[in-house]
Amino acid sequence: MSRVSMAFRCFFGLLFTGKLPGKATDFLSEDARRALPAPSDADAGDDVSGDDVSGDSHGGRADKAKADDAKADKGKGKGKADSGRADKDKGKGKGKGKGKGDSGRADKGKAKDADEEAKPTPAPVRPAAPSPARQAAAAEYHTEGALAFLALLQREGRLVDFLQEDIDDYDDADVGAAVRNIHRDLRKVLGAHFQIEPVMPGEEGDDVTVPKGFDPGEIRLAGEVEGEPPFKGVLQHHGWRVVEVSLPTFTEGVDRHVVAPAEVEVS
């Protein structure tokens, strides 16, 4: 056996058993061997061949390495299993959280709908009634407009004079002559201050149809009216509608109730 092999045997023997192999003394000098104590039975029993010690030591290390690898693999497998269970639990928790979120939103939506249904329907907003002072001012304005127009008709066509005159004692020829002049003057006033058009086109006596949804303020039905429109009938009067009005400006400080002032010729 070479010294190198014996050196390895001595190294591993001391490492694993704490003793040197018995054949290590073969490499000592005679003086060194004589100086060594006599080996005991236990030391002899422990003196095994270098190949056995080396083989056992290598096998032990191999087995230990395998055991450590097995433990490491087992630990990795356990870690993966724990990670898998953690991911699974996390997924479950996320699913539960999402489900709770959806349920919460649904409950919130239902609560909102319930609140809207519980709210009373607001009453329709009606315009505030005008104050008594405003009503009086509007009535006064309308009155002044009517009086001003009546004064205009009196001034241009002497309408008030004609209507206030008792014509029963006059012959028809005399009345006809007077009416012709009044008609001409009044028509002139009407054309100058009002643009007027018929409500329904056509001449009196024409067949007409009253459409569905007509305005009763524009068309007045007469005769036997039954059922729902449209109605067919004969036009008795086409009516009049004012399209545009152009009255003179009111003068402040004038009493509108005086439609025609008295006239005095001073001598």
Side-chain angles (χ1 to χ4, degrees):
M1 179 181 294
S2 65
R3 289 181 179 275
V4 176
S5 299
M6 179 54 67
F8 277 106
R9 289 182 61 188
C10 292
F11 173 77
F12 288 113
L14 291 174
L15 180 63
F16 293 104
T17 65
K19 297 179 181 181
L20 292 172
K23 293 183 179 182
T25 58
D26 295 341
F27 293 89
L28 298 176
S29 64
E30 291 295 333
D31 294 336
R33 282 198 296 269
R34 284 194 296 269
L36 292 175
S40 62
D41 295 338
D43 293 337
D46 291 337
D47 187 12
V48 294
S49 65
D51 294 339
D52 293 339
V53 174
S54 179
D56 292 341
S57 62
H58 287 295
R61 286 198 302 274
D63 294 339
K64 186 176 180 181
K66 291 181 179 180
D68 293 339
D69 293 340
K71 289 182 180 180
D73 294 338
K74 186 175 181 181
K76 290 182 180 179
K78 185 177 179 181
K80 291 182 178 179
D82 293 338
S83 177
R85 285 195 297 271
D87 294 338
K88 187 175 181 181
D89 294 339
K90 185 176 180 181
K92 289 182 178 180
K94 187 175 181 181
K96 289 181 179 179
K98 184 177 181 181
K100 289 181 180 179
D102 294 339
S103 177
R105 286 193 294 271
D107 294 339
K108 187 176 181 181
K110 290 180 180 179
K112 184 177 180 182
D113 294 339
D115 292 340
E116 291 180 354
E117 292 178 358
K119 290 181 181 178
T121 303
V125 179
R126 296 180 179 178
S131 63
R134 187 173 181 179
Q135 289 180 343
E140 181 66 20
Y141 180 81
H142 294 158
T143 300
E144 289 187 356
L147 294 175
F149 182 61
L150 182 60
L152 185 62
L153 295 177
Q154 167 63 22
R155 185 180 68 230
E156 300 296 336
R158 304 185 67 89
L159 176 63
V160 177
D161 292 344
F162 174 75
L163 296 178
Q164 290 293 105
E165 183 76 19
D166 185 4
I167 61 174
D168 291 340
D169 297 334
Y170 291 94
D171 296 335
D172 292 343
D174 295 334
V175 173
V179 168
R180 186 181 299 276
N181 294 331
I182 295 173
H183 176 271
R184 181 187 62 250
D185 295 337
L186 294 180
R187 185 177 183 181
K188 180 181 177 181
V189 173
L190 193 64
H193 299 284
F194 296 91
Q195 182 179 348
I196 302 176
E197 66 179 11
V199 174
M200 291 189 70
E203 300 294 336
E204 296 181 359
D206 291 348
D207 293 334
V208 294
T209 300
V210 179
K212 184 177 181 179
F214 71 96
D215 185 359
E218 294 183 351
I219 302 176
R220 183 173 62 236
L221 301 179
E224 298 180 0
V225 181
E226 295 180 358
E228 298 294 332
F231 299 114
K232 293 184 178 298
V234 178
L235 183 63
Q236 300 296 320
H237 190 278
H238 51 59
W240 294 111
R241 178 191 293 112
V242 177
V243 179
E244 186 178 352
V245 179
S246 177
L247 291 176
T249 304
F250 295 161
T251 303
E252 296 293 337
V254 177
D255 186 1
R256 299 297 175 189
H257 292 81
V258 179
V259 295
E263 296 180 5
V264 177
E265 182 179 352
V266 179
S267 58

